[in-house]
Amino acid sequence: MSQKNREHWGSKTAFVLAAAGSAVGLGNIWKFPYIAHHNGGGKFVLIYLICIAIVGLPVLVAEMMVGRATQKSPVAAIEELSGKGSPWAFIGYLGVAASFVVLSFYIVVAGWVMHYIVLAATNTFAGMQPEQFGKTFGDLYVSPGLNIFWATLFMAITYLVVKGGIKGGIERTTNLLMPGLFVLLILILVWCVSLPNGAFSEALNYLFTGKDEIEGAAVLEALGHSFFTLSLGMGAMLTYGSYLDNKVDLFKAGMWVAILDTVIALVASIIIMSIMFANTESSFGGGPGLLFVNLPQALVQMPGGYFVTLFFFVLVFFAALTSAISLLEVAVAFLIDKGWDRKLATNVMAFSIWIVGIPSALSASAAWKAVFGEVTMFDIAGKTTFFDKMDYLASNWMLPIGGLAIALYVGFSLSSKLRDEQFHLGMNKKSAWHFKPWELFTRFVAPIVIILIILIEAGAVKKDTVNKFFDQILGQNSTVTQQEAKPAKSEK
Ligand code: TRP
């Protein structure tokens, strides 16, 4: 386990910013605000915070631990710890596969974001009629040319960063973009305080007090999302952890990543809710419509709307890029540990993922429809397009299964001695009080909870049963109040 030959992060802060960059992505800025609103805020947000603490954080630390202990990316790391041919190595292969799947649709959405930066910068939204906002996005959504162009450009930028290596590429970029993201977020948040109709306090109220009752099954949504948002279950945090040296306190670093990710998701929710509440005419949509239709429409008549729209899309671009970098790094590090040089590995992986991304970029276009069948716009739940299917496959299956496997591997296959040693490296103490609780959560709490999500996803447990079960725990009766619990949901 020599640490000599491997490139390392320049500092602990550099790691935290890079890992937070991976975690903070479209999941925080678009998906979380939407599901928090959809589930009525309040109790849902509280449950989400608990999920991050009892499932997300333990698994995050477990991933970082395997990476740091071996100084290798997933497949090579597990082979080093458990021997070549260890069945656990499937975690690594699954992770590489997941990076293909997630990145292939991520580049399409990030491409839309870049297109919107141009629209915002050129002040195209000013003077648009309400129905034109939907049409603008609809046209982009089905355009083969624009989708391919922007997805390709975004992939090229991601490629250039990853090719630069850990210090020269990834660290340099994330250490620039993450502070930039914080600044933009704070600027927009401050601007939101001045919004009319008491929108800002209404947003705070909705998010933190919200409805008394939520649908029991929403607990599962909170859990599933806590995985996605922390980039867990596919070896991304394991890979970033492999560039850490022994001076770093893993738990503390992981804690920082989780805190930054959570705070940013909450701030993004306050921003989006304030803007939507301030504008009573624009509906609070779900799916891509929220970001690309409702939000620009709500912002267009507001004072300072030009800058806020522009800053907002730049911010989303930063978030998407720092996540995409880590997704590509997972695949690239796999080849590097097989003996490839970084440049060649990046060329091969970036090109392959770009190819896999093409169907996602084209799946809504007329030509694709003619060949592969009908699609419905914004229909995420129906998962009709190739793009939606990729998202579903990764978020609902690959990441939870990968996360479960990591927790079980670290919790049961690795020795307690190794866990103990890694946990306490970089601390001044020999035995920290939180070691045992972390172990307990990694070995039992996280796996049990994840197995439950997978069973429900597979249809082995009925949603109704889940609802009743959580109703009991939460001391409520959501089956009666379900309608009332999400009044503001309005799909495009
Ligand atoms: N965490 C990212 C987000 O919130 C998405 C994501 C999921 C991801 N898994 C990942 C990013 C693995 C990088 C690596 O949008």
Side-chain angles (χ1 to χ4, degrees), residues 3-260:
Q3 295 202 329
K4 288 215 187 74
N5 304 328
R6 198 162 184 90
E7 223 188 324
H8 285 116
W9 304 107
S11 64
K12 187 190 137 192
T13 317
F15 165 79
V16 170
L17 286 180
S22 167
V24 175
L26 296 166
N28 301 62
I29 296 172
W30 156 62
K31 199 167 171 201
F32 182 73
Y34 156 62
I35 57 175
H37 179 263
H38 174 85
N39 287 303
K43 213 176 238 178
F44 177 81
V45 173
L46 182 69
I47 290 167
Y48 170 77
L49 295 178
I50 295 172
C51 293
I52 293 280
I54 70 169
V55 183
L57 183 59
V59 177
L60 173 60
V61 175
E63 275 207 26
M64 288 164 58
M65 185 174 278
V66 176
R68 206 260 302 265
T70 56
Q71 301 284 299
K72 292 195 165 88
S73 64
V75 174
I78 293 166
E79 282 178 347
E80 169 160 330
L81 290 171
S82 306
K84 264 208 177 341
S86 158
W88 290 106
F90 92 91
I91 300 173
Y93 293 106
L94 186 73
V96 175
S99 77
F100 268 72
V101 172
V102 178
L103 200 49
S104 73
F105 71 81
Y106 226 79
I107 62 172
V108 177
V109 181
W112 297 343
V113 174
M114 291 171 85
H115 184 73
Y116 268 64
I117 292 177
V118 174
L119 294 183
T122 52
N123 207 10
T124 313
F125 299 121
M128 269 195 188
Q129 297 302 313
E131 46 323 323
Q132 279 174 290
F133 287 90
K135 189 174 176 308
T136 302
F137 179 60
D139 288 347
L140 170 65
Y141 186 74
V142 300
S143 161
L146 284 174
N147 272 304
I148 292 284
F149 172 75
W150 288 115
T152 305
L153 185 60
F154 183 79
M155 190 72 217
I157 298 172
T158 311
Y159 159 79
L160 286 176
V161 175
V162 173
K163 202 175 68 162
I166 298 306
K167 270 207 187 115
I170 300 181
E171 179 174 320
R172 217 164 58 174
T173 312
T174 49
N175 285 10
L176 201 72
L177 295 193
M178 290 311 284
L181 187 147
F182 300 148
V183 170
L184 290 175
L185 208 61
I186 292 169
L187 282 177
I188 302 180
L189 185 71
V190 169
W191 174 84
C192 282
V193 180
S194 69
L195 285 173
N197 306 333
F200 185 74
S201 47
E202 193 186 338
L204 284 180
N205 232 332
Y206 192 96
L207 194 63
F208 294 113
T209 335
K211 294 274 179 291
D212 291 342
E213 319 231 303
I214 62 166
E215 199 178 336
V219 176
L220 299 174
E221 201 169 355
L223 264 168
H225 186 67
S226 66
F227 249 76
F228 185 82
T229 192
L230 288 176
S231 304
L232 298 178
M234 50 169 287
M237 290 301 180
L238 194 161
T239 305
Y240 271 15
S242 75
Y243 306 114
L244 277 174
D245 61 34
N246 286 341
K247 284 184 257 135
V248 170
D249 174 344
L250 287 183
F251 189 85
K252 210 158 134 198
M255 189 85 178
W256 269 109
V257 174
I259 289 174
L260 283 174

